[in-house]
Amino acid sequence: MTPVVAPFFHEPSSTWSYVVSDPGTRQAAIVDPVLDFDAASGHTGTASAQGLLDHVHGKGLDVRWLLETHAHADHLSAGHWLKGRLPAATLAIGEGIRTVQARFARMFNLGGDFPVDGSQFDHLFADGEGFTVGGIDARVIAVPGHTSDSCAYLVGNALFTGDSLFMPDGGTARCDFPGGSAAQLFRSIQRLYALPEPTRVFVCHDYGPDGRDVACETSIGAQKRGNIHVRADTTEGEFVAVREARDRTLDMPALILPAVQVNIRAGALPEPDDNGVRYLRIPIDTL
Ligand SMILES: N[C@@H](CCC(=O)N[C@@H](CS)C(=O)NCC(=O)O)C(=O)O
Ligand SMILES: [Fe+2]
């Protein structure tokens, strides 16, 4: 039940993507792949996603899952692009994506043509749903708080936290996006803290606080002892106060407007206009 976990760091967004595989069957899942995007020029790029593909092909892995921990607000997902190259893979996200889609469909005025039923994905996970990566049992743990659709994936003894817990010295994910809630994130983290202490924890972002090298792996025990926002004995009130105070200091992510428009489409770009060009929208004085 011990998967092999290969981490990949996307420097512009400080995102960790992972290839997690069963060494017995060589079946694999890719977690949170990133599509490169240069906001100044409007250019997309696939170098990072190609790096994941090269790894998969080099190791002879058979990718069965493309797992999104949530509709990211800071980078575009390469889920759709990879799905086109890995047809055996099921592109999946938590069922809370419907709530996120409905909220942003209103913000971007997408109208009746944009389905808010999650049908852009191949599969929507329910909280607690089981699945397998080759011979390894896996389970979905809904962790709303950062976003309504946030999920953690427990694959064997490896937990992919998405944006809930970061490394112990990085604390937790912000809760000030539309639909976010610090109290809800606290309750989600309590569910993760109920896992065995040796559970390996793989984070979705690391910002290398205080100039340390970026890191991606810790454990539930280390989090409960040392997370700067939430330890085993932290109360909900204490956590909410700390989280909301920090959220008041943060600017919106540079890519939030492009990212959510693409990620509620499972990483697909909007359909082109009649001139063949695809456009993203910027709602003025709305976010
Ligand atoms: N400066 C970054 C901000 C990234 C950001 O807001 N990250 C989110 C996760 S999507 C977060 O939870 N940050 C936690 C924090 O800074 O406390 C950007 O522009 O992309
Ligand atoms: Fe996020």
Side-chain angles (χ1 to χ4, degrees):
M1 284 308 208
T2 304
V4 174
V5 179
F8 294 82
F9 191 62
H10 182 255
E11 220 168 297
S13 65
S14 303
T15 302
W16 288 103
S17 305
Y18 299 96
V19 178
V20 49
S21 58
D22 169 21
T25 60
R26 306 198 83 73
Q27 289 187 17
I30 295 179
V31 183
D32 287 333
V34 179
L35 187 72
D36 303 314
F37 184 65
D38 181 56
S41 65
H43 274 275
T44 59
T46 54
S48 299
Q50 186 62 48
L52 297 170
L53 270 188
D54 292 346
H55 174 86
V56 158
H57 292 145
K59 298 279 181 197
L61 299 176
D62 173 11
V63 179
R64 297 300 181 90
W65 291 101
L66 290 164
L67 302 175
E68 299 286 0
T69 56
H70 61 295
H72 302 277
D74 65 321
H75 66 268
L76 280 58
S77 164
H80 175 80
W81 187 83
L82 282 170
K83 170 76 191 179
R85 281 141 192 92
L86 297 165
T90 299
L91 176 52
I93 197 165
E95 62 188 2
I97 187 64
R98 297 190 189 112
T99 309
V100 176
Q101 287 178 325
R103 183 175 296 118
F104 287 112
R106 275 194 302 278
M107 182 184 292
F108 290 102
N109 197 25
L110 299 180
D113 291 347
F114 182 80
V116 294
D117 58 1
S119 55
Q120 300 84 346
F121 296 82
D122 301 321
H123 184 71
L124 302 186
F125 281 124
D127 182 26
E129 187 173 338
F131 61 105
T132 56
V133 177
I136 299 178
D137 289 333
R139 176 161 63 90
V140 178
I141 305 172
V143 289
H146 171 63
T147 63
S148 314
D149 63 336
S150 287
C151 284
Y153 297 108
L154 181 65
V155 181
N157 67 352
L159 178 73
F160 299 88
T161 55
D163 290 355
S164 52
L165 293 166
F166 294 144
M167 294 298 288
D169 61 353
T172 56
R174 65 195 293 172
C175 296
D176 59 335
F177 296 157
S181 158
Q184 203 176 32
L185 180 60
F186 179 84
R187 288 172 215 145
S188 294
I189 289 170
Q190 300 313 304
R191 306 184 70 199
L192 302 182
Y193 280 4
L195 294 169
E197 296 216 343
T199 305
R200 304 163 71 196
V201 166
F202 294 92
V203 301
C204 176
H205 290 292
D206 185 54
Y207 301 101
D210 297 323
R212 75 148 162 71
D213 290 343
V214 290
C216 67
E217 180 174 357
T218 176
S219 69
I220 290 295
Q223 294 282 20
K224 286 166 80 169
R225 285 188 297 276
N227 187 287
I228 58 164
H229 294 163
V230 52
R231 296 179 197 213
D233 60 354
T234 304
T235 65
E236 181 173 318
E238 286 166 347
F239 173 73
V240 169
V242 166
R243 188 63 258 176
E244 291 184 347
R246 176 159 171 82
D247 287 350
R248 282 191 287 275
T249 70
L250 299 174
D251 293 328
M252 280 292 132
L255 295 186
I256 185 169
L257 293 170
V260 294
Q261 287 175 79
V262 170
N263 295 339
I264 59 174
R265 296 175 161 93
L269 298 166
E271 288 303 311
D273 274 16
D274 55 11
N275 61 357
V277 178
R278 299 173 194 272
Y279 291 85
L280 293 166
R281 314 191 81 192
I282 298 181
I284 303 299
D285 296 334
T286 297
L287 183 63

